[in-house]
Amino acid sequence: MEYSVKSGHPEKQRIGCVVVAVYASRKLSPSAKIIDQASHGYISNLVRRGEMEGDLGNTLLLHNIDNTLCDRILLVGCGKEKEITTHIFNKINRIMVKKLNASGATEIASYLTEIPVRHKDRDLNWKIRQSITAIDEALYHFNQLKSEKQEPRRPLRKFIFSVSGRGQLMQGEIAVRQGMAISDGIHLAKDMGNLPANICTPTYLAKFANKLDTQHDHFKTTVLEEDDMEKLGMGALLSVSRGSREAGKLIVMEYSNGDEDQKPVVLVGKGVTFDSGGISLKPGASMDEMKYDMCGAASVFGTLSACAELQLPVNIIGIVPTVENMPDGIASKPGDIVTSMSGQSIEILNTDAEGRLILCDALTYAEKFEPDVVIDIATLTGACIVALGAHPAGLMSNHNPLANDLLSAGKRCGDRCWQLPLWDDYQEQLDSNFADMANIGGKGAGTITAACFLSRFTKKYRWAHLDIAGVAWKSGKEKGATGRPVSLLTQYILDRLEEWQSA
Ligand code: BES
Ligand code: MN
Ligand code: ZN
């Protein structure tokens, strides 16, 4: 979709459809009022007759209204004017898209930028960005592998955000650029997640990283092969990869467009392209969904690509340890002991706790970049779904200011996380009789003990861990990757950029 901004009155738009808001109790938004006046009370008449109450989710499509230049007007009910939250704003956008898709209009001018959203920083920039990601979300389909693509006959082509005056055009255009870059990053992450594991292999991800390298300036991709990792002593990562015919990789993407002395933000994404559980084999039901076990990696790709697309003056490094977890004859067995790059030994009591095994070596590797902060993103534990469901990602950190930054970035963009404690009290659950630690923490607090495991490899820097097991994809009829937490991560980086620039 092509997005742009424009100022001007709604009745003067020569376009397929104009979208305006109506609030609960039949209250017209300013642009609905303007159209009402131009058309001698057409809208207020309808509203009085009860055709449109303005409740959240109501819509009414009107044609050929007197004294307007557009073919159609879509009234969108937004509920109580004072109660519109981020969540409701996104919902309004989704409802609008559904209706527009069925209307035949291909070019739209939307006045929903007028909607007041609760919270003081929900400004024009925020509304445009949020709308773009919500609209693209509603239009997303993964059609790549169907022989017959079901495209709508008259797809939406052009979407114009109305701004209240010429003075707002610049701000609006910046927001459009940001929104489209973030939305493209989300799209990239969704496609990558939805690809099946026979296509999306560690080798595929490495090739993808090389492609980003050629597409963007200030972007450098390096891929470590199993030999290289052997030399670095990455015994934990390699122990997972050994069970598969696919070669494991460590992908390193450096986007360096900030000050030379600005330490980088390092993002580490779990890239298990298929998690069968290994010798501790998973049950069969829904095992196909373990193709999504690389969604942490996908979010790193999506975030880097959004930042590079926007040419943000920042230094970000993406590290993606990527393997397939399979039960081969030389796969790790429960009880095996391996040595990580950090020198710490690990007793593998369950081969299905493989994410932490590949992450720990990637986290040790991250030290060499002298990071400002390190954030890892991983579909790490089923326990996280039990604890938090599908709404927030789980957040654990060894540095509270970093945790707070992530919490507030998530709130702002609607891609939220929620903090769980990372107290030392939990550490003893990882005790092993035979090695420095076990790879599972036994009964209770599975999400936290997984983070405790990782914390033993992140002592040298500020670190946060996002467990995205509950949010990275949807199951059931709407099965598909969500592209989360690309929004959260790019919002975090935009917030940090503001901080660096004002310093
Ligand atoms: N990738 C899974 C976690 C997962 C499971 C995410 C289901 C989303 C849905 C991870 O590798 C795993 O298998 N974790 C185990 C850890 C356990 C063996 C300590 C789990 O959560 O059961
Ligand atoms: Mn597993
Ligand atoms: Zn896994």
Side-chain angles (χ1 to χ4, degrees):
M1 178 102 82
E2 192 189 314
Y3 294 97
S4 57
V5 288
K6 196 175 166 190
S7 68
H9 279 251
E11 81 285 12
K12 303 225 173 82
Q13 305 301 319
R14 200 179 287 284
I15 198 158
C17 187
V18 165
V19 183
V20 297
V22 179
Y23 302 112
S25 331
R26 311 170 179 186
K27 180 165 189 257
L28 302 187
S29 61
S31 40
K33 267 188 204 146
I34 293 174
I35 293 174
D36 189 50
Q37 275 155 15
S39 62
H40 308 296
Y42 188 81
I43 295 182
S44 42
N45 264 326
L46 282 176
V47 160
R48 207 169 308 122
R49 277 190 269 134
E51 302 225 24
M52 174 66 173
E53 295 290 342
D55 293 344
L56 181 61
N58 280 174
T59 55
L60 189 62
L61 188 64
L62 308 170
H63 295 94
N64 306 319
I65 307 291
D66 278 356
N67 299 321
T68 67
L69 297 178
C70 54
D71 301 333
R72 308 168 186 77
I73 291 173
L74 178 65
L75 305 182
V76 179
C78 297
K80 293 204 177 112
E81 190 181 3
K82 295 217 169 78
E83 291 180 5
I84 300 170
T85 57
T86 301
H87 185 77
I88 292 177
F89 187 72
N90 288 345
K91 190 165 172 188
I92 291 169
N93 276 293
R94 281 201 301 274
I95 290 164
M96 170 194 69
V97 171
K98 250 203 198 127
K99 202 70 197 172
L100 288 174
N101 247 342
S103 75
T106 59
E107 304 195 350
I108 318 297
S110 166
Y111 287 75
L112 299 187
T113 41
E114 293 173 346
I115 296 177
V117 182
R118 274 168 55 173
H119 295 111
K120 59 179 182 313
D121 57 357
R122 305 307 197 253
D123 52 9
L124 178 69
N125 179 296
W126 181 90
K127 282 184 226 171
I128 290 179
R129 270 164 51 187
Q130 205 64 25
S131 300
I132 292 176
T133 48
I135 292 168
D136 287 351
E137 158 83 37
L139 292 173
Y140 178 84
H141 289 289
F142 186 77
N143 270 338
Q144 284 179 39
L145 303 173
K146 295 201 177 188
S147 55
E148 267 176 62
K149 323 239 181 280
Q150 311 148 308
E151 303 288 354
R153 211 166 39 82
R154 286 173 62 82
L156 299 179
R157 247 175 2 92
K158 213 168 145 187
F159 197 98
I160 303 170
F161 293 100
S162 150
V163 297
S164 58
R166 295 178 149 271
Q168 292 209 295
L169 286 175
M170 255 260 284
Q171 196 199 344
E173 272 154 22
I174 293 173
V176 165
R177 262 192 72 219
Q178 289 184 343
M180 287 178 71
I182 295 167
S183 185
D184 288 350
I186 294 170
H187 193 115
L188 184 164
K190 282 185 184 174
D191 280 354
M192 201 177 251
N194 286 331
L195 279 173
N198 62 327
I199 295 176
C200 183
T201 59
T203 302
Y204 175 91
L205 293 183
K207 283 197 184 133
F208 204 102
N210 282 320
K211 199 172 85 195
L212 290 182
D213 179 327
T214 57
Q215 277 172 349
H216 296 289
D217 293 335
H218 313 290
F219 204 104
K220 192 180 102 199
T221 295
T222 321
V223 178
L224 304 194
E225 304 294 337
E226 289 190 349
D227 292 349
D228 305 314
M229 294 192 271
E230 199 87 56
K231 284 182 198 126
L232 289 167
M234 295 187 169
L237 191 158
L238 290 167
S239 76
V240 181
S241 188
R242 195 159 47 229
S244 159
R245 302 267 176 113
E246 294 288 339
K249 317 249 175 204
L250 187 79
I251 303 168
V252 182
M253 293 170 281
E254 296 173 64
Y255 173 66
S256 323
N257 193 25
D259 275 355
E260 236 169 77
D261 53 4
Q262 179 63 58
K263 291 180 168 179
V265 169
V266 177
L267 304 177
V268 179
K270 173 179 174 183
V272 175
T273 57
F274 190 76
D275 180 11
S276 70
I279 296 298
S280 314
L281 195 64
K282 284 185 182 296
S286 305
M287 207 208 265
D288 65 292
E289 294 186 10
M290 282 299 115
K291 72 174 183 179
Y292 290 117
D293 213 15
M294 36 54 71
C295 283
S299 75
V300 173
F301 280 94
T303 303
L304 274 166
S305 131
C307 294
E309 185 62 41
L310 289 170
Q311 297 180 290
L312 296 183
V314 294
N315 299 326
I316 312 174
I317 291 173
I319 303 180
V320 171
T322 175
V323 301
E324 201 181 57
N325 186 23
M326 296 289 276
D328 187 66
I330 56 163
S332 296
K333 304 164 289 295
D336 284 2
I337 294 177
V338 297
T339 305
S340 65
M341 182 182 177
S342 71
Q344 300 176 91
S345 63
I346 303 162
E347 185 185 15
I348 302 175
L349 288 175
N350 189 320
T351 65
D352 198 9
E354 85 296 342
R356 60 199 81 182
L357 293 174
I358 67 167
L359 287 168
C360 70
D361 280 340
L363 288 166
T364 302
Y365 188 77
E367 284 173 14
K368 82 173 212 167
F369 297 103
E370 295 179 28
D372 176 41
V373 300
V374 177
I375 303 167
D376 81 75
I377 308 101
T379 47
L380 204 61
T381 63
C384 193
I385 312 174
V386 176
L388 297 173
H391 302 295
L395 166 67
M396 286 137 278
S397 176
N398 66 9
H399 186 66
N400 254 320
L402 170 59
N404 289 335
D405 285 351
L406 287 166
L407 287 167
S408 79
K411 247 196 209 163
R412 178 137 207 267
C413 68
D415 185 358
R416 287 181 292 185
C417 53
W418 191 258
Q419 193 172 9
L420 301 174
L422 193 61
W423 296 326
D424 283 341
D425 312 50
Y426 294 99
Q427 290 283 354
E428 64 186 43
Q429 287 183 241
L430 295 171
D431 287 352
S432 156
N433 285 349
F434 307 106
D436 296 342
M437 69 193 87
N439 79 326
I440 54 171
K443 265 212 187 121
T447 303
I448 295 172
T449 54
C452 284
F453 180 95
L454 298 178
S455 75
R456 297 176 179 216
F457 302 84
T458 61
K459 293 214 154 79
K460 297 204 174 124
Y461 46 71
R462 303 174 194 143
W463 158 75
H465 162 60
L466 289 168
D467 193 329
I468 58 166
V471 303
W473 74 91
K474 289 183 195 159
S475 307
K477 228 176 108 213
E478 288 187 19
K479 193 190 286 179
T482 61
R484 290 180 69 181
V486 170
S487 286
L488 163 62
L489 295 169
T490 38
Q491 182 70 55
Y492 168 77
I493 287 173
L494 287 167
D495 291 349
R496 289 300 305 274
L497 177 60
E498 234 170 71
E499 172 194 323
W500 292 324
Q501 285 178 334
S502 66

